[in-house]
Amino acid sequence: SYVLTQPPSVSEAPGKTARITCGGTNIGSKRVHWYQQKPGQAPVLVMSYDNDRPSGIPERFTGSNSGNTATLTISRVEAGDEADYYCHVWDYSSDGGVFGTGTKVSVL
Amino acid sequence: DVQLLESGGGLVQPGGSLRLSCATSGITFSSYAMTWVRQAPGKGLQWVSSISASGRDTYYADSVKGRFTISRDTSTSTVYLEMNTLRADDTALYYCAKEEGLGTPGTALDYWGQGALVTVSS
C-alpha cells in the first residue's frame, strides 16, 4: 500500500518560515491535500490540489509538489499556526485514500 | 452553512456492531462523494471508507474491508457506516467528511463533522 511519510515535528520562531514535507513514491504525479488539526478540533483543509488555497486560508500558506516530495510552507509563522498537519492523497492503484503520518508544528 | 453531524457512537464489546450516521445540511447531497476518516486516541488520521455520489461505488481500507459497510440515503442527506465484528483497534473518533469534487471520491475533504467516538472494550 502507498505510504506517506512526514517528519514528526517542525519548530520555528515567530515570523520565520516553517516547511512541512510529505514523502511518497512519485507523489508528484498525485494531487496532494493538506489539513490542519488543532487539539480537540476536527481537521481543516488548508491546501488542496498541491497549491490551491481554500477561501479563508491566509496567503502565508503555500504548497508545492514534485518528484517524491510535497511541501506545505507556512511563511511568517504565528502562534495560531501551532497544530498537527496531515498530507492526503488518493491512491488510484489501490483505490483508497492515504494520509501522511502527521507533523506537529510548534512556534517557539 | 454546511453542516455534518455524526451520531451513533458509543461503547461496544469486541465482536459487536454499531452503525454511525452522518446527517448533512447546506449541500447538494446527491452531487458529492462522502468519506469516513478515523483517529485513534493520540494517533493520526486514517482513511476508512468512501462512497460515490450515486452510491454505486464504495471503497474501503484493507483493515475494515469485509467488516464495515458504507451507504447513503439521498432522501435524508445522510451517510452511514455499518461496523460489524468490531475489534479493540477500531477504537477511534470517526469523522464524516464531504469530498470537494463532484461525483467520485479522491478529491480534497473540504468539510468535516466533529466526530463520533467509538470505543470497543469488554
Side-chain angles (χ1 to χ4, degrees):
Chain A
S1 60
Y2 195 72
V3 175
L4 295 175
T5 301
Q6 299 180 234
S9 62
V10 167
S11 299
E12 279 299 342
K16 298 298 186 182
T17 298
R19 293 180 179 85
I20 308 161
T21 58
C22 176
T25 302
N26 200 25
I27 195 174
S29 67
K30 303 181 184 301
R31 300 177 299 181
V32 181
H33 318 298
W34 291 89
Y35 306 89
Q36 175 193 71
Q37 186 181 34
K38 295 182 178 180
Q41 298 183 19
V44 172
L45 179 67
V46 295
M47 192 64 60
S48 58
Y49 306 101
D50 299 341
N51 55 17
D52 188 14
R53 196 174 45 250
S55 172
I57 302 302
E59 292 182 4
R60 301 183 295 104
F61 287 77
T62 57
S64 64
N65 184 20
S66 179
N68 294 317
T69 304
T71 302
L72 178 69
T73 301
I74 310 173
S75 304
R76 302 181 299 284
V77 70
E78 303 173 356
D81 298 330
E82 282 202 334
D84 294 325
Y85 291 81
Y86 297 90
C87 56
H88 164 229
V89 302
W90 185 266
D91 180 30
Y92 285 92
S93 64
S94 62
D95 254 348
V98 181
F99 283 93
T101 49
T103 298
K104 183 177 182 63
V105 170
S106 299
V107 181
L108 303 172
Chain B
D1 228 30
V2 177
Q3 290 192 359
L4 284 70
L5 184 62
E6 301 94 338
S7 61
L11 174 64
V12 61
Q13 292 188 339
S17 299
L18 215 53
R19 187 177 83 156
L20 302 182
S21 301
C22 172
T24 72
S25 60
I27 65 172
T28 306
F29 182 74
S30 60
S31 295
Y32 297 99
M34 299 294 293
T35 287
W36 288 95
V37 175
R38 69 184 181 184
Q39 186 169 36
K43 302 297 184 183
L45 301 176
Q46 181 188 20
W47 174 80
V48 174
S49 180
S50 297
I51 186 168
S52 62
S54 68
R56 183 175 59 243
D57 299 308
T58 57
Y59 309 83
Y60 299 95
D62 287 344
S63 58
V64 307
K65 201 171 293 183
R67 299 187 300 122
F68 289 14
T69 302
I70 190 171
S71 61
R72 60 192 296 156
D73 183 345
T74 301
S75 67
T76 59
S77 299
T78 301
V79 62
Y80 301 97
L81 188 67
E82 182 78 35
M83 304 183 293
N84 297 315
T85 320
L86 283 161
R87 313 185 303 220
D89 62 358
D90 294 318
T91 295
L93 187 62
Y94 284 74
Y95 292 104
C96 167
K98 169 191 166 292
E99 296 267 348
E100 184 182 42
L102 296 173
T104 56
T107 65
L109 304 175
D110 58 351
Y111 290 95
W112 296 63
Q114 286 304 305
L117 183 62
V118 173
T119 303
V120 184
S121 175
S122 55

Short mmCIF file of all heavy atoms in Angstrom, two decimals, chain A residues 31 33 35 37 41-43 45 48-49 86 88 90 95-97 99, chain B residues 37 39 43-45 47 50 59 95 100 106-109 112-114:
data_model
loop_
_atom_site.label_atom_id
_atom_site.label_comp_id
_atom_site.label_asym_id
_atom_site.label_seq_id
_atom_site.Cartn_x
_atom_site.Cartn_y
_atom_site.Cartn_z
N ARG A 31 -2.34 14.29 -6.67
CA ARG A 31 -2.83 15.56 -6.14
C ARG A 31 -2.82 15.48 -4.61
O ARG A 31 -3.43 14.59 -4.03
CB ARG A 31 -4.24 15.83 -6.65
CG ARG A 31 -4.33 15.90 -8.17
CD ARG A 31 -5.74 16.11 -8.64
NE ARG A 31 -6.62 15.01 -8.25
CZ ARG A 31 -7.90 14.96 -8.57
NH1 ARG A 31 -8.46 15.95 -9.26
NH2 ARG A 31 -8.65 13.94 -8.19
N HIS A 33 -3.38 17.04 -0.79
CA HIS A 33 -4.17 17.96 0.01
C HIS A 33 -3.58 18.01 1.42
O HIS A 33 -2.99 17.02 1.89
CB HIS A 33 -5.64 17.50 0.07
CG HIS A 33 -6.16 17.02 -1.25
ND1 HIS A 33 -6.25 17.84 -2.35
CD2 HIS A 33 -6.58 15.79 -1.65
CE1 HIS A 33 -6.72 17.15 -3.37
NE2 HIS A 33 -6.92 15.90 -2.97
N TYR A 35 -4.20 19.24 5.64
CA TYR A 35 -5.17 19.58 6.68
C TYR A 35 -4.43 20.03 7.93
O TYR A 35 -3.36 19.50 8.27
CB TYR A 35 -6.05 18.37 7.02
CG TYR A 35 -6.73 17.80 5.81
CD1 TYR A 35 -6.10 16.82 5.05
CD2 TYR A 35 -7.96 18.27 5.38
CE1 TYR A 35 -6.68 16.32 3.90
CE2 TYR A 35 -8.55 17.77 4.23
CZ TYR A 35 -7.91 16.80 3.49
OH TYR A 35 -8.49 16.32 2.35
N GLN A 37 -4.98 20.41 12.04
CA GLN A 37 -5.83 19.96 13.14
C GLN A 37 -5.29 20.50 14.46
O GLN A 37 -4.18 20.15 14.87
CB GLN A 37 -5.92 18.44 13.18
CG GLN A 37 -6.93 17.94 14.22
CD GLN A 37 -7.01 16.44 14.30
OE1 GLN A 37 -6.04 15.73 14.11
NE2 GLN A 37 -8.22 15.93 14.59
N GLN A 41 -10.14 19.53 17.98
CA GLN A 41 -10.94 20.02 16.86
C GLN A 41 -10.83 19.09 15.66
O GLN A 41 -9.90 18.30 15.54
CB GLN A 41 -10.49 21.42 16.45
CG GLN A 41 -10.65 22.47 17.54
CD GLN A 41 -10.27 23.85 17.07
OE1 GLN A 41 -10.20 24.13 15.86
NE2 GLN A 41 -10.03 24.75 18.00
N ALA A 42 -11.81 19.20 14.77
CA ALA A 42 -11.78 18.45 13.52
C ALA A 42 -10.73 19.05 12.58
O ALA A 42 -10.40 20.23 12.69
CB ALA A 42 -13.15 18.47 12.86
N PRO A 43 -10.21 18.26 11.68
CA PRO A 43 -9.26 18.79 10.70
C PRO A 43 -9.92 19.86 9.82
O PRO A 43 -11.12 19.84 9.59
CB PRO A 43 -8.89 17.56 9.87
CG PRO A 43 -9.16 16.40 10.77
CD PRO A 43 -10.37 16.81 11.56
N LEU A 45 -9.23 21.83 6.03
CA LEU A 45 -8.48 21.84 4.78
C LEU A 45 -7.76 23.18 4.63
O LEU A 45 -8.39 24.24 4.66
CB LEU A 45 -9.45 21.64 3.61
CG LEU A 45 -8.86 21.64 2.21
CD1 LEU A 45 -7.97 20.43 1.99
CD2 LEU A 45 -9.99 21.66 1.16
N SER A 48 -5.35 22.45 -1.14
CA SER A 48 -5.85 21.35 -1.96
C SER A 48 -5.16 21.35 -3.32
O SER A 48 -4.63 22.37 -3.77
CB SER A 48 -7.37 21.46 -2.14
OG SER A 48 -7.73 22.70 -2.74
N TYR A 49 -5.15 20.19 -3.96
CA TYR A 49 -4.59 20.04 -5.30
C TYR A 49 -3.21 20.68 -5.39
O TYR A 49 -2.93 21.50 -6.27
CB TYR A 49 -5.56 20.63 -6.33
CG TYR A 49 -6.94 20.04 -6.19
CD1 TYR A 49 -7.94 20.74 -5.55
CD2 TYR A 49 -7.22 18.76 -6.66
CE1 TYR A 49 -9.20 20.19 -5.38
CE2 TYR A 49 -8.48 18.20 -6.49
CZ TYR A 49 -9.47 18.92 -5.85
OH TYR A 49 -10.71 18.37 -5.68
N TYR A 86 -1.49 17.27 8.29
CA TYR A 86 -1.51 15.99 7.59
C TYR A 86 -1.61 16.20 6.09
O TYR A 86 -2.44 17.00 5.63
CB TYR A 86 -2.70 15.14 8.04
CG TYR A 86 -2.70 14.76 9.49
CD1 TYR A 86 -3.31 15.55 10.46
CD2 TYR A 86 -2.10 13.56 9.91
CE1 TYR A 86 -3.30 15.20 11.79
CE2 TYR A 86 -2.10 13.20 11.25
CZ TYR A 86 -2.70 14.02 12.18
OH TYR A 86 -2.70 13.65 13.51
N HIS A 88 -2.47 14.28 2.34
CA HIS A 88 -3.51 13.32 1.97
C HIS A 88 -3.54 13.20 0.46
O HIS A 88 -3.49 14.20 -0.26
CB HIS A 88 -4.86 13.83 2.51
CG HIS A 88 -6.07 13.18 1.92
ND1 HIS A 88 -7.15 13.92 1.44
CD2 HIS A 88 -6.42 11.88 1.76
CE1 HIS A 88 -8.08 13.10 1.00
NE2 HIS A 88 -7.67 11.86 1.18
N TRP A 90 -5.17 10.42 -2.89
CA TRP A 90 -5.94 9.25 -3.29
C TRP A 90 -4.99 8.38 -4.10
O TRP A 90 -4.39 8.82 -5.07
CB TRP A 90 -7.15 9.65 -4.12
CG TRP A 90 -8.02 8.47 -4.46
CD1 TRP A 90 -7.97 7.72 -5.60
CD2 TRP A 90 -9.05 7.92 -3.65
NE1 TRP A 90 -8.92 6.72 -5.55
CE2 TRP A 90 -9.60 6.82 -4.37
CE3 TRP A 90 -9.60 8.23 -2.40
CZ2 TRP A 90 -10.65 6.04 -3.86
CZ3 TRP A 90 -10.63 7.46 -1.91
CH2 TRP A 90 -11.15 6.38 -2.63
N ASP A 95 -7.13 2.18 -5.02
CA ASP A 95 -8.45 2.78 -4.90
C ASP A 95 -8.80 3.09 -3.45
O ASP A 95 -9.81 2.60 -2.90
CB ASP A 95 -9.54 1.90 -5.51
CG ASP A 95 -10.03 2.43 -6.83
OD1 ASP A 95 -9.70 3.60 -7.17
OD2 ASP A 95 -10.76 1.70 -7.53
N GLY A 96 -7.95 3.90 -2.84
CA GLY A 96 -8.23 4.28 -1.46
C GLY A 96 -7.49 5.54 -1.08
O GLY A 96 -6.53 5.95 -1.73
N GLY A 97 -7.96 6.16 -0.02
CA GLY A 97 -7.31 7.36 0.48
C GLY A 97 -6.12 7.01 1.36
O GLY A 97 -6.07 5.92 1.96
N PHE A 99 -3.44 8.99 4.24
CA PHE A 99 -2.99 10.16 4.98
C PHE A 99 -1.53 9.99 5.37
O PHE A 99 -1.05 8.87 5.61
CB PHE A 99 -3.81 10.35 6.26
CG PHE A 99 -5.17 10.93 6.02
CD1 PHE A 99 -6.27 10.12 5.86
CD2 PHE A 99 -5.35 12.31 5.95
CE1 PHE A 99 -7.53 10.65 5.63
CE2 PHE A 99 -6.59 12.86 5.72
CZ PHE A 99 -7.69 12.03 5.56
N VAL B 37 -13.30 9.05 7.99
CA VAL B 37 -11.90 9.06 8.43
C VAL B 37 -11.91 8.84 9.94
O VAL B 37 -12.76 9.40 10.64
CB VAL B 37 -11.22 10.41 8.11
CG1 VAL B 37 -9.80 10.45 8.67
CG2 VAL B 37 -11.22 10.65 6.60
N GLN B 39 -9.64 8.46 13.80
CA GLN B 39 -8.44 8.87 14.51
C GLN B 39 -8.44 8.19 15.86
O GLN B 39 -9.24 8.52 16.73
CB GLN B 39 -8.40 10.39 14.65
CG GLN B 39 -7.12 10.93 15.25
CD GLN B 39 -7.02 12.45 15.13
OE1 GLN B 39 -8.01 13.17 15.23
NE2 GLN B 39 -5.81 12.95 14.89
N LYS B 43 -3.42 9.41 18.07
CA LYS B 43 -2.80 8.97 16.82
C LYS B 43 -3.20 9.87 15.65
O LYS B 43 -3.92 10.85 15.82
CB LYS B 43 -3.20 7.51 16.51
CG LYS B 43 -2.84 6.53 17.60
CD LYS B 43 -1.35 6.43 17.82
CE LYS B 43 -1.00 5.37 18.85
NZ LYS B 43 0.47 5.33 19.12
N GLY B 44 -2.74 9.51 14.46
CA GLY B 44 -3.01 10.31 13.28
C GLY B 44 -4.31 9.93 12.59
O GLY B 44 -5.06 9.07 13.06
N LEU B 45 -4.56 10.58 11.47
CA LEU B 45 -5.76 10.33 10.70
C LEU B 45 -5.60 9.08 9.85
O LEU B 45 -4.53 8.81 9.30
CB LEU B 45 -6.06 11.52 9.78
CG LEU B 45 -6.25 12.88 10.45
CD1 LEU B 45 -6.42 13.96 9.40
CD2 LEU B 45 -7.41 12.86 11.41
N TRP B 47 -7.77 7.04 6.75
CA TRP B 47 -8.90 6.90 5.84
C TRP B 47 -9.57 5.55 6.06
O TRP B 47 -8.89 4.53 6.17
CB TRP B 47 -8.43 7.03 4.40
CG TRP B 47 -9.50 6.77 3.39
CD1 TRP B 47 -10.47 7.63 2.99
CD2 TRP B 47 -9.71 5.56 2.68
NE1 TRP B 47 -11.28 7.04 2.06
CE2 TRP B 47 -10.84 5.76 1.84
CE3 TRP B 47 -9.08 4.32 2.65
CZ2 TRP B 47 -11.32 4.77 1.01
CZ3 TRP B 47 -9.56 3.34 1.82
CH2 TRP B 47 -10.67 3.56 1.00
N SER B 50 -15.04 5.37 1.54
CA SER B 50 -15.65 6.43 0.74
C SER B 50 -16.76 5.85 -0.11
O SER B 50 -16.76 4.66 -0.43
CB SER B 50 -14.62 7.09 -0.18
OG SER B 50 -13.58 7.73 0.54
N TYR B 59 -15.61 2.16 -1.40
CA TYR B 59 -14.18 1.91 -1.26
C TYR B 59 -13.88 1.74 0.23
O TYR B 59 -14.46 2.45 1.06
CB TYR B 59 -13.38 3.10 -1.80
CG TYR B 59 -13.79 3.52 -3.20
CD1 TYR B 59 -14.89 4.35 -3.39
CD2 TYR B 59 -13.08 3.08 -4.31
CE1 TYR B 59 -15.27 4.73 -4.67
CE2 TYR B 59 -13.47 3.46 -5.59
CZ TYR B 59 -14.56 4.28 -5.76
OH TYR B 59 -14.94 4.66 -7.02
N TYR B 95 -14.74 10.51 11.90
CA TYR B 95 -15.18 11.73 11.25
C TYR B 95 -15.85 11.42 9.92
O TYR B 95 -15.37 10.58 9.14
CB TYR B 95 -13.98 12.64 10.95
CG TYR B 95 -13.29 13.25 12.13
CD1 TYR B 95 -12.06 12.75 12.58
CD2 TYR B 95 -13.83 14.35 12.80
CE1 TYR B 95 -11.40 13.34 13.65
CE2 TYR B 95 -13.19 14.94 13.87
CZ TYR B 95 -11.97 14.43 14.28
OH TYR B 95 -11.32 15.00 15.35
N GLU B 100 -14.68 17.46 -1.98
CA GLU B 100 -14.81 18.76 -2.64
C GLU B 100 -15.31 18.64 -4.07
O GLU B 100 -16.11 19.43 -4.54
CB GLU B 100 -13.46 19.49 -2.63
CG GLU B 100 -13.48 20.90 -3.20
CD GLU B 100 -12.11 21.52 -3.22
OE1 GLU B 100 -11.15 20.82 -3.56
OE2 GLU B 100 -12.01 22.72 -2.88
N GLY B 106 -11.76 10.90 -3.94
CA GLY B 106 -10.39 11.11 -4.38
C GLY B 106 -10.02 12.57 -4.49
O GLY B 106 -8.95 12.91 -4.97
N THR B 107 -10.92 13.43 -3.99
CA THR B 107 -10.62 14.86 -4.01
C THR B 107 -10.33 15.31 -2.59
O THR B 107 -10.21 14.49 -1.68
CB THR B 107 -11.80 15.64 -4.60
OG1 THR B 107 -12.94 15.51 -3.74
CG2 THR B 107 -12.15 15.11 -5.99
N ALA B 108 -10.21 16.61 -2.42
CA ALA B 108 -9.96 17.13 -1.07
C ALA B 108 -11.22 17.00 -0.22
O ALA B 108 -12.34 16.99 -0.72
CB ALA B 108 -9.53 18.59 -1.15
N LEU B 109 -11.02 16.91 1.09
CA LEU B 109 -12.14 16.83 2.04
C LEU B 109 -12.36 18.23 2.61
O LEU B 109 -11.61 18.69 3.48
CB LEU B 109 -11.81 15.82 3.13
CG LEU B 109 -11.45 14.42 2.61
CD1 LEU B 109 -11.02 13.52 3.76
CD2 LEU B 109 -12.64 13.81 1.88
N TRP B 112 -15.81 18.82 7.38
CA TRP B 112 -15.73 17.71 8.31
C TRP B 112 -16.75 17.90 9.43
O TRP B 112 -17.03 19.02 9.84
CB TRP B 112 -14.33 17.65 8.95
CG TRP B 112 -13.20 17.38 8.01
CD1 TRP B 112 -12.77 18.17 6.97
CD2 TRP B 112 -12.30 16.27 8.06
NE1 TRP B 112 -11.68 17.61 6.36
CE2 TRP B 112 -11.36 16.45 7.01
CE3 TRP B 112 -12.19 15.15 8.88
CZ2 TRP B 112 -10.34 15.54 6.77
CZ3 TRP B 112 -11.16 14.24 8.63
CH2 TRP B 112 -10.25 14.44 7.59
N GLY B 113 -17.25 16.77 9.94
CA GLY B 113 -18.04 16.82 11.14
C GLY B 113 -17.14 16.88 12.36
O GLY B 113 -15.91 16.91 12.23
N GLN B 114 -17.74 16.87 13.54
CA GLN B 114 -16.98 16.92 14.78
C GLN B 114 -16.60 15.54 15.30
O GLN B 114 -15.84 15.43 16.26
CB GLN B 114 -17.76 17.69 15.85
CG GLN B 114 -17.79 19.19 15.60
CD GLN B 114 -16.39 19.77 15.47
OE1 GLN B 114 -15.55 19.62 16.36
NE2 GLN B 114 -16.11 20.44 14.35
#
